[in-house]
Amino acid sequence: MRLPPAILANTEEVLREILRFSAPADTTLSRYFKDHPRLGSRERGAVAEGIYAILRNKSFFTDFAEAGASPTMRRLTILGLAEAVGVDSLGGLTEEETEFLNRIQEIDRNLMPPQMRSNLPKWLFDKFVAQYGEAETLALAHALNQPAPLDLRVNSIKATRDDVVAGLAEAPIEAMPMPYAPLGLRVLKKPTLQNLPLFKSGAIEVQDEGSQVLSQIVGAKRGEMVVDFCAGAGGKTLALGALMRNTGRLYAFDISEKRLAKLKPRLARSGLSNVHPVQIAHERDAKIKRLAGKIDRVLVDAPCSGLGTLRRNPDVKWRQKVEAVAEMQEKQASILDGAARLLKGGGRLVYATCSLLDEENDFIVEQFLAAHPEFDLVPMSKVLAEQKIDLEMGDYLKLLPHKHQTDGFFAAVMERKPMAPKPPKDKPADEIDADADE
């Protein structure tokens, strides 16, 4: 069934705004769809998938869209929609445009220069090659340029994984258990979940398998005091609360009131009562100081370049700048330093990012450990064994889309050495004299 010709115009219109890269693509798309309520769900899906196809293949598409009779932006739009929904679904093409599409589809992309094949900006391609080598960079880039699957986390407070699989099957939605996350399910298609009883009841949450593994390695236990230091909209917070079996006290810190507001409806659905959202001004906030030395586990899912999420957010590679990565490093180091003060002796600190760059990952951890001899690195191989997660890792968790079929994640676990007991305070002189008299 062909899409109406107007979809080309709609896609081109929103594409012009998105390619300014002044806001995240999903934000711009949401606003556009609100302003165009007559677009049906199929049309909205086609526009969105067409836009994301362009963002994933921008280097390749731009190079070919600039040659031809029709305007470049229209050709980019045609290429994206054809990639997303197929040539036969497009209505309103001229004969010349149909011929143009057929020519492009005959091109063997494997014969193109490596950087163009990767569809990465040059600065990022060069960084990946320096870190991973060219062959692995191309494998990684290929994985990053595929749409992400739909992953679910089962809320163990409300259901078992088997219960959810059976409930989804009634919809009918097919879901498979995931290899690493013990409560994870991968949905084989991308159905709408919001109206499902399982979703409304809080039995399931959408969460990438990598993010679920990250929550698991925090190792939060019943009755503990735990902090999610950069909680955002709370996906990992909810996972931690369930792992704690709704006991203890779990603080969800974030500087953004808007992000914490998004947590509230999810928290209400989850059935958790041990979560306490707290807005903070910065990593030295007095609210943090009051908890210093009292916390068992802290998760720092630090602000980062977001380059591990390109399957979901392909615009990030074009919006992100090399200078911003250096600025991020300062922020990451400062946040980790602030969060570390919360830990009691024997407490664990987990530093994590959704970045693929060593300078946001290994470098930050090594710098922290050099400056904080009171912390030891806990090898990730040991942490994963504790959690019974079958993953081969060394000192750090490094999840890669082309190897693990997850978003790109990094994590390190550090443990604070037991604190020496404080020496007894000296007695005042008059007390000493009194003791002597006795």
Side-chain angles (χ1 to χ4, degrees):
M1 189 173 152
R2 288 200 167 206
L3 290 162
I7 293 303
L8 269 169
N10 289 121
T11 309
E12 185 177 342
E13 186 181 1
V14 72
L15 177 64
R16 287 179 185 278
E17 190 174 346
I18 282 171
L19 289 183
R20 293 190 189 108
F21 298 120
S22 56
D26 58 351
T27 305
T28 304
L29 276 166
S30 295
R31 190 171 65 244
Y32 185 84
F33 292 148
K34 277 182 187 171
D35 294 343
H36 294 76
R38 290 188 180 181
L39 287 171
S41 60
R42 180 170 178 255
E43 286 81 8
R44 288 197 302 272
V47 170
E49 291 305 317
I51 292 292
Y52 283 119
I54 293 162
L55 293 168
R56 289 189 182 100
N57 297 280
K58 184 170 164 283
S59 293
F60 173 70
F61 283 175
T62 302
D63 200 61
F64 287 94
E66 288 170 353
S70 53
T72 300
M73 199 64 73
R74 179 173 169 86
R75 285 184 169 241
L76 260 183
T77 305
I78 290 168
L79 287 168
L81 283 169
E83 180 94 359
V85 301
V87 179
D88 294 339
S89 296
L90 295 184
L93 297 185
T94 67
E95 190 177 329
E96 187 269 337
E97 286 168 342
T98 304
E99 288 174 6
F100 162 74
L101 267 181
N102 291 334
R103 284 200 310 275
I104 297 298
Q105 289 186 319
E106 289 170 5
I107 293 170
D108 183 352
R109 299 191 194 187
N110 292 319
L111 301 177
M112 306 187 73
Q115 191 211 325
M116 187 182 288
R117 218 185 317 161
S118 75
N119 275 290
L120 295 170
K122 187 175 187 307
W123 72 268
L124 185 54
F125 179 77
D126 290 346
K127 276 186 179 290
F128 280 173
V129 170
Q131 191 172 310
Y132 298 107
E134 189 177 284
E136 188 161 6
T137 292
L138 289 172
L140 172 60
H142 178 73
L144 290 170
N145 285 324
Q146 306 305 310
L150 176 60
D151 291 353
L152 305 177
R153 177 182 61 81
V154 175
N155 178 2
S156 57
I157 299 295
K158 300 240 175 159
T160 67
R161 191 153 69 168
D162 289 344
D163 291 338
V164 171
V165 169
L168 288 172
E170 290 173 15
I173 295 168
E174 194 176 353
M176 302 288 291
M178 294 192 291
Y180 311 126
L183 293 167
L185 290 171
R186 181 153 292 163
V187 177
L188 302 187
K189 292 182 181 176
K190 290 197 176 178
T192 303
L193 298 172
Q194 281 81 346
N195 297 322
L196 288 179
L198 283 168
F199 184 82
K200 288 180 175 178
S201 71
I204 54 172
E205 277 285 340
V206 175
Q207 189 176 24
D208 178 78
E209 184 176 22
S211 180
Q212 294 185 47
V213 170
L214 184 51
S215 306
Q216 196 81 25
I217 64 169
V218 175
K221 296 174 183 169
R222 287 174 179 266
E224 288 188 330
M225 295 262 283
V226 179
V227 171
D228 186 353
F229 203 80
C230 306
K236 297 178 190 70
T237 308
L238 298 177
L240 290 170
L243 288 168
M244 294 165 72
R245 302 306 300 165
N246 207 12
T247 65
R249 201 165 180 86
L250 172 56
Y251 293 96
F253 288 159
D254 205 276
I255 59 170
S256 169
E257 185 180 2
K258 190 182 288 187
R259 285 196 291 264
L260 288 175
K262 288 181 180 176
L263 167 59
K264 287 181 181 175
R266 301 175 77 186
L267 188 53
R269 277 200 315 273
S270 73
L272 294 172
S273 56
N274 64 338
V275 177
H276 303 273
V278 180
Q279 186 182 358
I280 56 173
H282 45 70
E283 61 269 21
R284 308 278 182 218
D285 194 302
K287 295 169 190 170
I288 298 167
K289 287 182 182 175
R290 283 198 288 271
L291 292 171
K294 297 177 181 177
I295 303 298
D296 296 288
R297 295 168 200 271
V298 177
L299 169 61
V300 178
D301 185 11
C304 68
S305 61
L307 294 167
T309 69
L310 295 184
R311 301 184 307 166
R312 299 172 199 284
N313 308 300
D315 56 310
V316 166
K317 62 186 172 185
W318 309 114
R319 288 195 297 114
Q320 196 59 266
K321 302 291 179 220
V322 65
E323 302 80 22
V325 175
E327 290 169 16
M328 285 284 183
Q329 287 180 296
E330 284 184 37
K331 189 183 290 187
Q332 288 154 353
S334 180
I335 289 172
L336 186 55
D337 187 65
R341 299 166 189 230
L342 291 164
L343 272 302
K344 59 168 68 167
R348 283 192 177 182
L349 174 63
V350 180
Y351 173 77
T353 75
C354 54
S355 174
L356 295 163
L357 297 175
D358 284 349
E359 59 216 80
E360 296 185 84
N361 297 334
D362 312 47
F363 175 81
I364 299 295
V365 172
E366 285 155 18
Q367 181 180 264
F368 173 84
L369 289 169
H372 293 82
E374 72 275 21
F375 280 89
D376 289 323
L377 184 71
V378 183
M380 191 55 63
S381 52
K382 179 186 175 185
V383 176
L384 291 166
E386 288 171 355
Q387 295 300 320
K388 300 181 174 59
I389 296 173
D390 187 16
L391 258 173
E392 289 290 324
M393 293 285 160
D395 282 346
Y396 303 128
L397 181 77
K398 294 189 177 185
L399 294 175
L400 298 166
H402 64 299
K403 289 184 175 178
H404 306 106
Q405 289 72 55
T406 66
D407 284 348
F409 276 103
F410 169 88
V413 177
M414 293 156 279
E415 190 166 284
R416 184 168 205 141
K417 293 172 184 173
M419 295 181 186
K422 290 181 180 177
K425 290 181 179 176
D426 292 336
K427 290 184 179 181
D430 55 347
E431 285 187 30
I432 295 170
D433 292 342
D435 290 343
D437 292 342
E438 289 172 8

